[in-house]
Amino acid sequence: MSYPAELRYTPTHEWARSEGELIVVGITRFAVEQLTEPTFLELPAVGTTVEAGKPFGVIESVKSTSDLYAPLSGVVVERNAELLDDPATGRKANLALILEDPFGRGWLIKIRPAAGTTLDHLLTAEQYEAQLASAGH
Amino acid sequence: MSLRLRLLPYTVEGGPVQMAQDESLLEAAVQGQASLRFYQWSEPTLSLGYFQPVAMRQQLPAASTLPYVRRPTGGAAIVHHHELTYAFALPPRLAFRQTSWICLFHQLLAEVVAPVFAPGQLHLVACGQERKLGEILCFLHHSAGDLLLQDNKIAGSAQRKHRGALLQHGSILLRRSPYAPQLPGIFDLAGREFSTPTALAEQLARRFAQQLHAELYPDTWTTAEQQRIQQLLAEKYTQPAWNDKR
């Protein structure tokens, strides 16, 4: 399996991508395959400060909850509205997007990184794939 | 046999203590410690899945007044009364060794109780055979890997994953509870109490260790773990901010 080279990765299976001044965060295809069928998702409110390596959300699939870890420190400026219920309209969250397009429409949050923060500490696609291989995946 | 699996003391405690102890187990697994324990609840208690709204309790008239605690794991609500609960936590490399720990543990339970029942009465729910007989209670959701006895779910399990480590805990229904009268337990279905919770726990512990090719050894919580359990109890599992978070 080939992972997009333009993204950077965490050992805990999140990805990060620069988008102007912001960083878009999601979970990798490997993580999605482990989840099989996401049923619930908890994301931090806009304005929440997240810390690199610390949990920022929770996802549930088939009775199993898993923490999601922030690839970098910063402030959440946007959540993927398609992944959340909208009480105003009654629209239900479409978690299938995470399965179908984990590197695209299945993104989770956008972060304004803390001053001086870069993505350099994260794994390249090549390093991430090597990690998966060494773990037998 | 290089893997060592510690067996922690059998306890009877309230829901918040049990959840704090289970979370402590997961934290130890992140550090490389594999653990197993069995317990019962000191009073009938409703546990809610991590994502379940607390208001769901009102849809369970018989159980709506019970003390409740939110689990760190997913899944649906469980009335913990006449049952045996198990919990194990495994370090990352071990956790990834098996694709379905829920199936594995339920299969071990099936093997333990199989001699009591006629052939064909026990089976694991296969993918594609899932059924939802009610919205709120875990034991009315027949999910893949669940253990059915005479078409009644007798064991329900859930998981939490943290930094690659796995916590799995689950309830084994022994007898029908007046707080969930629609759910018979293993002894009800057998027509007799053919074992005790502690004897079942001993059998399951032995089989689980064999399955893992692990050395099972009795142990107690470390001092640091005891302190952490007290912290989790005070700051999380007794707090409305956690138990009523949805």
Side-chain angles (χ1 to χ4, degrees):
Chain A
M1 180 184 300
S2 181
Y3 283 82
E6 67 274 22
L7 308 184
R8 300 301 283 264
Y9 301 86
T10 69
T12 47
H13 313 293
E14 290 82 17
W15 57 260
R17 182 184 72 228
S18 292
E19 187 179 89
E21 296 178 343
L22 305 180
I23 304 296
V24 187
V25 175
I27 58 174
T28 69
R29 186 169 297 286
F30 173 79
V32 165
E33 288 169 355
Q34 299 299 305
L35 289 170
T36 65
E37 188 182 340
T39 47
F40 297 102
L41 176 67
E42 179 181 81
L43 295 176
V46 169
T48 302
T49 299
V50 297
E51 192 176 340
K54 297 287 176 63
F56 72 84
V58 178
I59 192 164
E60 175 169 337
S61 172
V62 200
K63 300 187 285 190
S64 181
T65 53
S66 301
D67 289 312
L68 305 165
Y69 301 92
L72 70 167
S73 300
V75 176
V76 177
V77 295
E78 188 178 346
R79 311 190 294 178
N80 186 343
E82 290 191 274
L83 304 182
L84 301 169
D85 291 339
D86 183 355
T89 64
R91 182 185 54 74
K92 291 292 183 187
N94 181 12
L95 297 183
L97 288 177
I98 301 175
L99 287 178
E100 295 161 5
D101 192 10
F103 299 120
R105 290 183 66 198
W107 65 275
L108 301 178
I109 56 174
K110 293 182 183 178
I111 296 174
R112 183 178 303 284
T117 302
T118 70
L119 300 184
D120 293 345
H121 63 292
L122 298 173
L123 303 173
T124 64
E126 189 177 350
Q127 289 168 327
Y128 179 67
E129 288 178 43
Q131 175 196 286
L132 292 180
S134 70
H137 303 301
Chain B
M1 185 179 290
S2 59
L3 174 64
R4 301 189 80 221
L5 175 67
R6 69 172 174 168
L7 179 63
L8 289 159
Y10 190 99
T11 62
V12 181
E13 298 278 3
V17 173
Q18 301 294 19
M19 292 303 97
Q21 291 187 341
D22 281 357
E23 183 164 340
S24 169
L25 231 57
L26 179 60
E27 292 178 352
V30 172
Q31 302 303 318
Q33 173 71 61
S35 310
L36 171 67
R37 74 186 194 102
F38 294 87
Y39 56 91
Q40 290 186 286
W41 303 58
S42 55
E43 59 183 333
T45 303
L46 185 70
S47 77
L48 302 172
Y50 180 82
F51 276 97
Q52 280 192 298
V54 71
M56 278 187 175
R57 294 163 55 239
Q58 302 314 318
Q59 297 175 47
L60 302 172
S64 62
T65 58
L66 292 179
Y68 61 95
V69 65
R70 184 174 300 279
R71 301 191 306 267
T73 52
I78 292 180
V79 173
H80 301 274
H81 192 192
H82 300 307
E83 53 129 64
L84 171 67
T85 309
Y86 75 89
F88 63 79
L90 303 174
R93 284 213 168 255
L94 185 57
F96 274 113
R97 194 192 286 179
Q98 176 78 25
T99 52
S100 177
W101 289 100
I102 288 180
C103 283
L104 182 145
F105 202 89
H106 291 176
Q107 182 60 44
L108 296 181
L109 174 62
E111 291 168 13
V112 166
V113 302
V116 180
F117 298 96
Q121 291 192 311
L122 282 155
H123 75 274
L124 295 180
V125 177
C127 288
Q129 294 180 337
E130 296 88 349
R131 285 190 298 165
K132 200 177 256 193
L133 308 177
E135 285 300 316
I136 315 298
L137 288 173
C138 167
F139 279 87
L140 292 176
H141 296 185
H142 296 185
S143 306
D146 281 342
L147 181 59
L148 302 188
L149 172 58
Q150 299 165 11
D151 213 30
N152 297 282
K153 180 171 169 178
I154 57 167
S157 300
Q159 298 179 331
R160 178 86 182 196
K161 293 170 183 167
H162 180 60
R163 301 198 186 283
L166 168 72
L167 166 68
Q168 179 173 313
H169 56 192
S171 166
I172 300 165
L173 270 185
L174 300 179
R175 285 190 284 119
R176 191 187 306 274
S177 166
Y179 302 107
Q182 66 273 53
L183 304 175
I186 300 173
F187 295 160
D188 299 308
L189 297 166
R192 64 191 172 95
E193 294 204 8
F194 59 85
S195 187
T196 65
T198 50
L200 284 173
E202 285 173 18
Q203 288 178 281
L204 286 165
R206 197 165 54 246
R207 283 176 184 265
F208 187 61
Q210 286 171 351
Q211 188 71 39
L212 267 59
H213 304 291
E215 176 196 350
L216 185 70
Y217 66 100
D219 201 4
T220 56
W221 305 98
T222 66
T223 303
E225 284 175 327
Q226 290 173 17
Q227 291 170 350
R228 177 63 176 150
I229 289 165
Q230 290 306 314
Q231 183 186 17
L232 286 166
L233 184 60
E235 296 178 2
K236 186 170 181 181
Y237 290 107
T238 55
Q239 294 302 315
W242 170 261
N243 290 318
D244 299 344
K245 71 184 288 181
R246 321 180 189 282

